[in-house]
């Protein structure tokens, strides 16, 4: 049984109905809900279930003449891409001839439809190689950027300086005649910063990148008629020096609504993508690793509106542009960074530093004028993002002359396209990824092939949406350019405070539409609103679309970066991170179409750089002396310090030792974990065993090891020197402790090591029969291999020894210390790893 909320005239109540939900994979669309809810006594003649339907996306209309006040805030102390570029040495980029040739952008077909395009904002790009800048409201030649390289690029475009100047004059005449003005497409970013970013991207990618300083906006006055705007667009497209010209598409949230209601403010059970593959991306495992909370990674959400005061969100570290206050951005940030606090939702990377950059901004140098631009918001986010940080694009653009909707799935957004379909956005993504920033881009909900504006790879990770069972969501955009996918529905997050209610009449029977399908309404739900009208305490279980899928991928990317940081590894570059998520992901369901790529699997992703590992913790019960053949109890602890779950194939046992020609100590093998209750990364295991001592007298090394399947030894306990002897027999025995040693040295550098040896035997150490014996390996050299005891060391006394180690080359090395006598080495050992830096 499951509860279905019903709404009838004059009241809202709950009605219990038998459903087939439990047979469905998590995250399936509302269509399946309707198929599963029993209808009133009018079954289909053939006994089939009711015809499936779809509740389409909601898009809040935004008009720039009613824009809210702009917010311009950057937390002090944050340094970003552009600041770092200023600090870089002035290295010359590769010679122009070594770059992959530039692929020009095309004109976009943008009809004068005010619902899909901002007809008061045209985007123009001057031909590549044009050394022009906006000065005094006019495009003029700029001597500071007129270089031979620019001239060669302009010549390659088939233009002469004279033709360029003629077209620029014609541009300005046409804009002025229409009552318009010219503005920079990134008005709040210095031209020099964009130029540095451009050079960096070319040097990094080896490809000629479009020049961001050649994109401009044409702003038209309020009241401009669509036909007049269209006439100006046609005129500008006739100018050969303008590479591309189009109306600015209005950015929209890539969200759909598709899941049945629930009644709890704890929505974490609607976050099944936390679970292991194939259902989820295995946040459960990654969160247990060092750095598995996203610490050290910055994330900027690029869209239009947020309630960043929500009780389950951290403080915003940066805010750029105009905030329209939508629930959409609140839900997106909730998936990434909601607190793990026992209520609401849980963020995948709750310790990440988050902020937002709005697609609506203000040009203070042009009237001022509000404008739309995902590209500008993305470039602005570079003020706070470093290489390896993440920018998330949560918008898609209206359809470009899309045809009729082929089915009843999300028809309001049929034909909507990924933002890199549009030239300026493609440029901005390319420049940021070229500077090392990871860009995650929603593929869009238009059931459309993703076709970038250029054949040059933007470097973004493009995200499609599934039904939570690896099958493509019917609304998701698709194609080879879609790299990965994640859940596209039924996601628990922040905001909205609404649920789906089946409409019923006064008698409680479902109200049907003209096709006989029950009508479902999206209505405020008190169960999702912890404090009534206070939106900072609203929650949802309905978030979805590629807008819901993309934050899941951002969370996966953030955890890869943060766990690598915690392990002392470098952050991955954008394309390398994309390659990792694709190569280690769970493929979409076999035989399903269209192509939306695999779903990330963090367990497999982290295994490539954080292998299966264990760490010794402690041991109790190892005796100093024991009678031949006697038994004793030994307890040893290890941590699962790697990335794998232990399900029984990992075994704790006494390590083999054959000093006497046979196994000295005998004890059981203890499997660690089982399939139903694995030992998770970060867990500690304790093994207790009864050990039998060797039958022959002597000093033996007792070691307990933890072995992975296949026989790989992951960790060992330090060797405990156990003397097997009859009572009252003289015994040499020692314990060794490293008091100080360098963790790293430069190649050729000498370091000092101090160790202390304690006499835990029954004999007195004397010179020259007793000495500290040293050994070394890999990149460590030793000027001397031993140091004699000074004076005598009676039982219970200690002596410290100081010696030198030298780094020889680069990489890891180690040394080992143990006491020795004329009869051979005895007692415990102490060793330490040293990293030799180049």
């Amino acid at each position: 049984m499951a509860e279905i909320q019903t709404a009838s005239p004059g009241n809202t109540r709950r009605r219990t109905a038998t459903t087939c939900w439990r047979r469905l994979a998590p995250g399936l669309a509302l269509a399946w809900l309707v198929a599963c809810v029993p209808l009133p006594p009018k079954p289909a003649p053939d006994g089939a279930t009711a015809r499936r339907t779809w509740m389409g996306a909601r898009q809040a209309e935004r008009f720039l003449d009613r824009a809210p006040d702009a917010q311009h805030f950057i937390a002090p102390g944050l340094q970003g891409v552009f600041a770092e570029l200023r600090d870089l040495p002035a290295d010359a980029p590769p010679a122009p001839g070594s770059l992959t040739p530039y692929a020009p952008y095309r004109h976009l077909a943008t009809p004068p439809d005010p619902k899909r395009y901002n007809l008061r904002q045209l985007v123009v790009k001057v031909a590549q190689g044009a050394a022009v800048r906006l000065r005094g409201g006019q495009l003029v030649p700029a001597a500071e950027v007129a270089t031979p390289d620019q001239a060669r690029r302009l010549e390659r475009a088939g233009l002469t300086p004279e033709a360029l100047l003629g077209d620029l004059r014609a541009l300005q005449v046409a804009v002025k005649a229409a009552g318009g003005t010219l503005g920079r497409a990134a008005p709040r970013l210095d031209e020099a910063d964009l130029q540095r970013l451009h050079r960096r991207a070319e040097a990094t990618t080896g490809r000629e990148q479009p020049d961001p300083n050649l994109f401009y906006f044409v702003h038209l006055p309020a009241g401009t008629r669509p036909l007049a705007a269209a006439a100006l667009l046609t005129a500008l497209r006739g100018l050969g020096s303008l590479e591309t010209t189009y109306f600015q598409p209005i950015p929209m949230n890539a969200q759909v609504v598709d899941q049945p209601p629930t009644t709890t403010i704890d929505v974490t059970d609607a976050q099944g993508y936390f679970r292991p593959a194939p259902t989820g991306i295995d946040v459960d495992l990654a969160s247990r690793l060092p750095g598995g909370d996203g610490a050290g990674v910055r994330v900027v959400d690029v869209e239009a509106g947020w309630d960043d005061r929500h009780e389950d969100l951290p403080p915003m570290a940066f805010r750029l542009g105009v905030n329209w206050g939508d629930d959409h951005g609140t839900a997106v940030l909730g998936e990434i960074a909601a607190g793990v606090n026992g209520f609401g939702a849980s963020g995948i990377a709750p310790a990440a530093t988050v902020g937002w950059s709005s697609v609506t901004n203000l040009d203070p140098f042009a009237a001022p004028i509000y404008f739309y631009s995902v590209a500008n918001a993305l470039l602005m986010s570079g003020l706070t993002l470093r290489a390896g940080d993440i920018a998330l694009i949560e918008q898609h653009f209206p359809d470009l002359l899309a045809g009729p909707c082929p089915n009843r799935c999300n028809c309001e957004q049929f034909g909507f396209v990924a933002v890199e379909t549009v030239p300026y956005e493609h440029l901005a993504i390319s420049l940021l990824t070229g500077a090392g920033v990871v860009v995650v881009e929603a593929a869009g909900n238009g059931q459309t092939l993703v076709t970038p504006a250029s054949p040059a790879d933007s470097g973004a990770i493009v995200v499609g949406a599934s039904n939570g069972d690896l099958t493509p969501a019917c609304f998701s955009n698709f194609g080879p350019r879609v790299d990965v996918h994640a859940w596209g529905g039924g996601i628990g997050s922040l905001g909205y405070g609404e649920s789906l209610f089946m409409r019923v009449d006064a008698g409680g029977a479902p109200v049907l539409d003209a096709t006989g399908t029950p009508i479902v309404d999206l209505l405020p739900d008190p169960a999702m609103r912890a404090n009534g009208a206070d939106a900072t305490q609203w929650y949802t279980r309905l978030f979805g679309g590629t807008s819901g899928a993309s934050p899941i991928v951002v969370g996966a990317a953030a955890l890869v970066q943060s766990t690598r940081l915690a392990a002392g590894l470098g952050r991955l570059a954008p394309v390398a991170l994309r390659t990792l998520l694709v190569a280690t992901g769970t493929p979409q369901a076999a035989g399903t179409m269209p192509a939306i790529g695999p779903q990330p699997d963090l367990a497999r992703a982290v295994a490539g750089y954080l292998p299966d590992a264990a760490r010794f913790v402690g041991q109790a019960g190892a005796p100093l002396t024991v009678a031949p053949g006697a038994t004793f109890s030994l307890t040893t602890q290890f941590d699962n310090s790697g990335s794998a779950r232990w399900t029984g194939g990992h075994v704790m046992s006494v390590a083999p030792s054959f000093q006497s020609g046979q196994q000295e100590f005998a004890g059981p093998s203890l499997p660690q974990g089982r399939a139903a209750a694995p030992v998770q990364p970060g867990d500690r295991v304790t093994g207790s065993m009864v050990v039998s001592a060797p039958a022959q007298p002597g000093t033996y090394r007792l070691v307990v090891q933890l072995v992975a399947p296949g026989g790989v030894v992951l960790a060992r306990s330090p060797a405990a020197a156990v003397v097997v002897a009859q009572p009252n027999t003289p015994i040499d025995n020692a314990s060794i402790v490293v008091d100080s040693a360098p963790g790293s040295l430069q190649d050729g550098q000498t370091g000092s090591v101090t160790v202390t040896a304690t006499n835990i035997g029954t004999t007195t150490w004397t010179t020259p029969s007793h000495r500290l014996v040293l050994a070394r390996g890999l990149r460590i050299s030793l000027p001397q291999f031993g140091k004699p005891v000074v004076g005598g060391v009676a039982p219970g006394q200690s002596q410290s020894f100081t010696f030198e180690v030298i780094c020889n080359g680069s990489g890891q090395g180690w040394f080992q210390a143990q006491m020795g006598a004329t009869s051979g080495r005895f007692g415990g050992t102490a060793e330490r790893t040293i990293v030799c830096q180049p």
Side-chain angles (χ1 to χ4, degrees):
M1 305 292 283
E3 285 193 330
I4 302 296
Q5 300 188 59
T6 60
S8 59
N11 83 316
T12 300
R13 59 191 178 87
R14 302 195 182 280
R15 170 174 175 258
T16 301
T18 302
T19 72
C20 59
W21 293 351
R22 64 188 60 187
R23 298 201 304 269
L24 302 178
L28 287 177
L30 171 64
W32 297 102
L33 164 65
V34 176
C36 293
V37 176
L39 297 176
K42 189 179 179 183
D46 59 358
T49 57
R51 187 163 58 86
R52 296 164 181 161
T53 188
W54 181 264
M55 172 166 279
R58 296 179 304 148
Q59 175 63 46
E61 291 186 345
R62 303 186 183 95
F63 300 97
L64 293 183
D65 54 358
R66 299 203 301 269
D69 291 337
Q71 297 182 38
H72 311 289
F73 172 79
I74 302 174
L78 284 178
Q79 300 296 315
V81 169
F82 301 116
E84 290 176 0
L85 287 174
R86 291 191 186 97
D87 297 334
L88 288 177
D91 295 333
S98 67
L99 297 176
T100 301
Y102 174 67
Y105 289 119
R106 307 176 302 274
H107 289 303
L108 289 182
T110 52
D113 181 350
K115 292 184 178 180
R116 295 184 292 166
Y117 306 100
N118 180 18
L119 304 187
R120 292 171 53 191
Q121 179 188 344
L122 284 72
V123 183
V124 300
K125 180 185 182 292
V126 185
Q128 191 83 344
V132 297
R133 294 292 184 265
L134 189 65
R135 301 288 183 264
Q138 295 187 346
L139 287 175
V140 297
E144 68 270 21
V145 293
T147 64
D149 178 38
Q150 292 286 75
R152 284 192 294 270
R153 296 185 181 195
L154 186 66
E155 181 180 2
R156 190 187 58 210
L159 294 171
T160 64
E162 293 76 19
L164 173 64
L165 290 176
D167 284 344
L168 294 180
R169 285 193 292 268
L171 165 68
Q172 283 150 187
V173 168
V175 170
K176 183 177 181 180
T181 58
L182 280 170
R184 292 182 59 233
R188 293 185 171 272
L189 294 171
D190 291 343
E191 292 172 345
D193 287 334
L194 290 176
Q195 192 172 356
R196 292 186 186 96
L197 185 61
H198 180 232
R199 287 201 299 264
R200 164 72 77 82
E202 289 194 332
T204 302
T205 64
R207 185 174 71 239
E208 183 180 342
Q209 297 280 356
D211 186 344
N213 281 311
L214 295 178
F215 273 88
Y216 296 93
F217 291 152
V218 175
H219 299 290
L220 296 178
T224 300
R225 296 179 179 275
L227 290 179
L232 175 62
L233 180 65
T234 300
L236 297 185
R237 286 184 171 175
L239 302 178
S241 297
L242 299 187
E243 181 180 312
T244 183
T245 308
Y246 51 91
F247 289 126
Q248 169 65 51
I250 298 175
M252 296 186 180
N253 300 332
Q255 175 207 1
V256 296
V257 177
D258 68 342
Q259 281 294 304
T262 64
T263 61
T264 176
I265 296 296
D266 181 358
V267 297
T268 54
D269 62 341
Q271 294 184 296
Y273 46 84
F274 273 63
R275 306 292 90 80
T279 302
I281 67 171
D282 215 343
V283 182
D284 289 345
L285 181 142
S287 65
R288 302 178 68 91
L289 301 172
D293 56 3
V297 180
R298 297 176 187 169
V299 178
V300 171
D301 180 26
V302 174
E303 52 178 296
W306 307 259
D307 185 349
D308 53 20
R309 306 161 300 153
H310 196 283
E311 65 174 1
D312 208 8
L313 282 179
M316 296 296 105
F318 29 85
R319 297 179 289 175
L320 308 166
V322 180
N323 185 357
W324 292 79
D326 290 353
D327 288 294
H328 186 275
T330 314
V332 167
L333 290 179
E335 288 187 63
I336 299 168
V340 181
N341 47 25
F343 66 88
S346 292
I348 298 172
T353 301
V354 295
W356 53 259
S357 183
S358 177
V359 299
T360 305
N361 216 309
L362 184 69
D363 186 343
F365 308 105
I369 293 175
Y370 285 105
F371 63 89
Y372 297 120
S373 179
V374 174
N376 176 79
L378 192 59
L379 292 171
M380 288 290 291
S381 73
L383 291 171
T384 60
L385 296 179
R386 308 153 300 185
D389 289 334
I390 304 169
L392 166 61
I393 302 174
E394 276 289 317
Q395 304 282 270
H396 57 183
F397 284 140
D399 60 294
L400 303 174
L401 297 178
C405 183
N407 53 51
R408 299 185 62 198
C409 175
N410 197 39
C411 288
E412 291 185 20
Q413 294 182 346
F414 176 71
F416 277 42
V417 298
V419 299
E420 71 172 52
T421 306
V422 175
Y424 190 29
E425 278 61 36
H426 184 276
L427 156 78
I429 295 169
S430 300
L431 292 190
L432 250 66
T433 59
V437 175
V438 177
V439 178
V440 176
E441 175 188 359
N445 303 335
Q447 309 170 55
T448 301
L449 179 71
V450 175
T451 307
S454 168
D457 180 11
S458 72
I461 302 172
V462 180
V463 183
S466 72
N467 296 313
D469 59 355
L470 304 175
T471 63
C474 63
F475 54 80
S476 179
N477 286 349
F478 55 85
R481 186 62 192 91
V482 178
D483 302 298
V484 293
H485 79 265
W487 283 31
I491 296 171
S493 193
L494 320 182
Y496 294 102
E498 298 170 325
S499 294
L500 297 176
F501 292 83
M502 186 166 61
R503 195 181 303 178
V504 298
D505 58 24
V511 177
L512 309 181
D513 64 15
T515 67
T517 302
I519 299 173
V520 180
D521 299 314
L522 184 64
L523 299 172
D525 184 358
M528 291 288 102
R529 300 187 174 195
N531 194 19
D534 182 2
T536 66
Q537 294 182 294
W538 290 359
Y539 296 90
T540 182
R541 304 187 72 186
L542 308 178
F543 199 53
T546 52
S547 277
S550 297
I552 297 174
V553 174
V554 167
L559 294 189
V560 167
Q561 302 290 55
S562 61
T563 53
R564 288 180 63 87
L565 285 172
L569 304 172
R571 302 168 186 240
L572 289 178
V575 173
L577 180 54
R578 181 177 69 185
T579 300
L580 175 68
L581 294 180
V582 171
T584 58
T586 306
Q588 73 180 78
T592 60
M593 293 293 288
I596 56 171
Q599 179 169 266
D601 179 358
L602 284 168
R604 292 185 63 206
V606 302
Y609 57 89
L610 296 178
D612 189 5
R615 180 174 55 245
F616 170 76
V617 176
Q619 191 173 77
L624 299 178
T625 62
V626 64
T631 61
F632 56 90
S633 296
L634 185 66
T635 300
T636 311
Q637 290 184 318
F638 292 93
D639 281 346
N640 180 349
S641 59
S643 61
R645 293 181 174 92
W646 299 347
T647 57
H650 294 72
V651 175
M652 188 189 304
S653 63
V654 174
S657 175
F658 300 99
Q659 292 173 217
S660 62
Q662 59 184 351
Q663 173 68 38
E664 280 87 16
F665 294 100
S669 296
L670 306 177
Q672 302 301 306
R674 59 184 192 278
V679 177
Q680 302 283 359
D683 282 354
R684 180 164 295 174
V685 295
T686 301
S688 297
M689 61 183 75
V690 175
V691 179
S692 299
Q696 298 299 320
T699 300
Y700 299 92
R701 292 163 53 89
L702 173 61
V703 176
V704 175
Q705 63 185 15
L706 201 146
V707 181
V712 177
V713 178
L714 299 183
R716 294 174 182 262
S717 67
V722 179
V723 177
V724 178
Q726 297 295 342
N728 302 317
T729 301
I731 297 168
D732 275 332
N733 203 357
S735 67
I736 308 287
V737 176
V738 178
D739 298 314
S740 64
S744 66
L745 295 170
Q746 297 294 319
D747 180 19
Q749 185 179 5
T750 298
S752 179
V753 176
T754 300
V755 301
T756 296
T758 301
N759 186 343
I760 58 175
T762 61
T763 63
T764 297
W765 302 343
T766 60
T767 303
S769 61
H770 293 81
R771 62 191 289 109
L772 182 75
V773 181
L774 302 176
R776 39 84 41 204
L778 301 176
R779 297 302 178 188
I780 291 297
S781 297
L782 292 169
Q784 56 188 141
F785 285 88
K787 301 202 73 173
V789 168
V790 177
V793 181
Q797 293 183 342
S798 301
Q799 187 167 114
S800 294
F801 301 84
T802 299
F803 57 92
E804 292 181 338
V805 294
I806 302 173
C807 263
N808 181 16
S810 61
Q812 287 191 343
W814 55 267
F815 69 85
Q816 184 186 79
Q818 187 179 19
M819 289 302 298
T822 53
S823 59
R825 296 185 185 186
F826 63 85
T829 62
E831 56 188 55
R832 185 69 60 88
T833 297
I834 298 176
V835 177
C836 294
Q837 306 286 352

